[in-house]
Amino acid sequence: MKKVASALIEQWNEQFPRSTVPVYLTRVSDKSYSTLRWRLSATHSKKASQISFSEELLDYFHIAKDRKIVCLFESRRQDLDLQLSLVLYEILRLESYLKNITVLSDIKKCTA
């Protein structure tokens, strides 16, 4: 899924190179479970900042064809972001489960 996310970002960069638009798609690895995000480039704000999909983002795309493409990317971003979020959440749950089972197993050995 990370490869699919990277491919989506690459497709965005091919369609809209960073030097031509103030918004780009990026992958963030934090615990928010929202890994694909829109960012404003540093040339359009004091620093690269997160931007939500909204009329504000669409304001940067004046041609109707470009706006349609951006909406398609946003739809794909949301679908993939949800899938990634669910997988990451389940991985964390499984890791926690395995850790707890190991602790319980160790306790059982000590009390036997």
Side-chain angles (χ1 to χ4, degrees):
M1 291 188 85
K2 288 181 179 182
K3 288 181 182 179
V4 174
S6 294
L8 183 64
I9 292 168
E10 286 176 28
Q11 289 170 356
W12 173 264
N13 291 334
E14 288 171 6
Q15 185 75 41
F16 300 105
R18 280 199 189 189
S19 61
T20 63
V21 292
V23 179
Y24 63 96
L25 190 58
T26 188
R27 200 166 87 214
V28 180
S29 57
D30 62 12
K31 299 217 178 201
S32 69
Y33 303 116
S34 178
T35 58
L36 289 169
R37 298 187 191 162
W38 295 107
R39 296 249 185 227
L40 276 176
S41 67
T43 58
H44 286 79
S45 66
K46 292 183 179 170
K47 62 179 186 170
S49 60
Q50 184 176 328
I51 184 170
S52 63
F53 184 78
S54 63
E55 287 295 322
E56 180 186 1
L57 185 142
L58 286 176
D59 284 345
Y60 294 112
F61 300 90
H62 302 290
I63 301 169
K65 179 185 84 161
D66 288 347
R67 293 183 99 174
K68 184 176 181 178
I69 292 169
V70 171
C71 289
L72 290 172
F73 268 98
E74 174 59 7
S75 178
R76 291 173 57 201
R77 185 202 68 81
Q78 285 185 22
D79 290 343
L80 185 55
D81 201 44
L82 175 63
Q83 292 173 36
L84 282 165
S85 299
L86 293 171
V87 168
L88 290 171
Y89 177 73
E90 287 302 321
I91 288 170
L92 289 173
R93 283 189 51 180
L94 287 169
E95 288 172 345
S96 176
Y97 170 77
L98 291 172
K99 179 182 167 189
N100 290 336
I101 289 299
T102 302
V103 169
L104 285 173
S105 178
D106 291 344
I107 290 171
K108 286 179 185 177
K109 287 177 188 174
C110 290
T111 58

